[in-house]
Amino acid sequence: LVSEDRADTLRYGENPHQDAALYADPACEEATVVGATEHNPGSKAMGYNNYNDADAALGLVKEFDEPAAAVIKHTNPAGCATADSLADAYDRALRTDAKSAFGGIVAVNRPCDADTAEAIAESFKEVVVAPGYTDSALDVLTEKGNLRVLDVGPLGEGEGRFSERFTEKPIVGGRLVQERDRQSPAAADLEVVTEREPTDEQVETMLFAWKTLKHVKSNGILFATGTETVGVGMGQVSRVDAVTLAAMKAEKDADGKSAEGAVMASDAFFPFPDAIEEAAEAGIEAVIQPGGSVNDEDVIEAADAHDMAMAFTGTRCFRHD
């Protein structure tokens, strides 16, 4: 592969026996981790997996207008939250699954302050991504010798945060190109299909969960309360297994959180009611999902039997890469 836009030769690819390089798109106007300013030059150089995970983390926090933080591991969210302050958002995101966050990537959508930096520095992280840092935050973060501290610059506002319209994936013999998933449903877009109506608070959580779920590998299930994650079930080949995994993570790994009374989001429809039964056992009280299964009536009936509220988005949010 030869290109004049080759930005860097990387130490290796996904594994040490694979050569790798970074290529830049000079026409890209969106904030990216490619070419981001590195504020800790003494740290190890960014690797293939670091760039991949940092890109995933940045993509997630761009979804939110409110102060947001995300912890990413192997391109999946280990936790995500929004709050009134960046430090609180990070704390809520971390407490979803601090065990899995070890060695992960952190991204925030506001300039990183000292309080947030001190919390990030308390445990081992590979990369921090932010649209700027206060001097006091840099003093804290650069004390970690191998922590990469990336400044991607201003994120922009609204849809401008996602100015790149297309994504592509090379495959042997060619490449796949698609429109980027920039959907962001509002409360008015949801179709309530159960006897029980979701509360305003549950609708707010549904919308937060949906934005976060867009960044979870399919099959993906996400449990949330308020505007923070509680448990994530990602990358399963069975949707009901993804529910089981989210419930297990909420029960075993979430600190001060519970699936009891939480909202469940699913990136595609439920083919059978078994996932609803599993969710009810975990304590889920409301569900957001695309709808469109031939068994929707059975799924809705199961939700009604457990006094759950359920809303359809009418669109799915698969993420396979």
Side-chain angles (χ1 to χ4, degrees):
L1 183 62
V2 178
S3 169
E4 63 183 5
D5 299 320
R6 183 166 175 149
D8 197 7
T9 299
L10 305 180
R11 290 177 298 142
Y12 51 79
E14 288 181 295
N15 302 290
H17 63 276
Q18 296 171 265
D19 290 337
L22 174 69
Y23 288 79
D25 176 5
C28 179
E29 298 180 355
E30 186 174 325
T32 76
V33 297
V34 178
T37 300
E38 166 62 275
H39 284 298
N40 198 11
S43 65
K44 291 187 295 185
M46 290 279 289
Y48 181 101
N49 292 331
N50 298 137
Y51 275 113
N52 200 28
D53 288 342
D55 174 69
L58 179 60
L60 175 49
V61 296
K62 283 179 181 178
E63 294 279 357
F64 302 103
D65 295 322
E66 308 80 8
V71 182
I72 296 289
K73 196 73 173 289
H74 304 307
T75 70
N76 271 304
C80 180
T82 68
D84 291 338
S85 73
L86 207 58
D88 191 22
Y90 174 71
D91 177 67
R92 292 168 184 264
L94 181 67
R95 287 190 296 106
T96 304
D97 189 359
K99 177 180 71 176
S100 296
F102 182 85
I105 311 291
V106 175
V108 295
N109 68 348
R110 296 284 195 282
C112 184
D113 55 50
D115 288 344
T116 307
E118 287 172 1
I120 292 170
E122 285 180 358
S123 63
F124 172 59
K125 302 294 187 302
E126 291 277 4
V127 183
V128 181
V129 184
Y133 298 84
T134 65
D135 290 343
S136 55
L138 288 177
D139 288 342
V140 172
L141 294 173
T142 54
E143 288 181 359
K144 297 289 185 177
N146 278 325
L147 177 65
R148 293 84 159 183
V149 181
L150 302 187
D151 185 344
V152 299
L155 301 187
E157 298 181 359
E159 291 189 1
R161 294 192 292 258
F162 297 98
S163 60
E164 289 295 294
R165 183 179 175 187
F166 298 102
T167 65
E168 63 179 68
K169 174 182 172 61
I171 59 175
V172 175
R175 58 182 180 166
L176 297 168
V177 179
Q178 67 173 346
E179 283 189 296
R180 196 169 178 181
D181 184 2
R182 297 187 289 185
Q183 62 165 321
S184 183
D189 300 320
L190 303 181
E191 178 191 1
V192 178
V193 295
T194 47
E195 295 173 0
R196 180 176 174 180
E197 293 268 344
T199 65
D200 291 344
E201 292 78 10
Q202 286 173 331
V203 169
E204 181 185 25
T205 302
M206 287 177 174
L207 299 178
F208 162 81
W210 189 260
K211 288 180 180 180
T212 305
L213 184 64
K214 286 168 55 181
H215 299 265
V216 175
K217 294 294 190 299
S218 189
N219 285 325
I221 292 288
L222 187 139
F223 292 179
T225 56
T227 55
E228 61 184 280
T229 50
V230 171
V232 187
M234 70 286 281
Q236 303 303 299
V237 292
S238 160
R239 189 156 300 278
V240 70
D241 286 349
V243 176
T244 302
L245 177 58
M248 183 198 76
K249 297 298 286 183
E251 174 69 22
K252 291 187 174 182
D253 294 320
D255 177 13
K257 307 186 186 194
S258 172
E260 192 70 37
V263 168
M264 175 173 74
S266 173
D267 65 356
F269 61 64
F270 295 104
F272 306 105
D274 51 0
I276 301 301
E277 301 292 341
E278 188 82 1
E281 188 173 334
I284 293 296
E285 292 187 0
V287 179
I288 180 171
Q289 59 129 323
S293 168
V294 295
N295 290 323
D296 271 351
E297 288 187 9
D298 293 340
V299 172
I300 295 169
E301 183 178 336
D304 283 334
H306 291 287
D307 195 29
M308 287 183 185
M310 181 181 290
F312 286 179
T313 62
T315 59
R316 73 183 189 195
C317 59
F318 271 169
R319 189 177 186 90
H320 287 180
D321 293 319

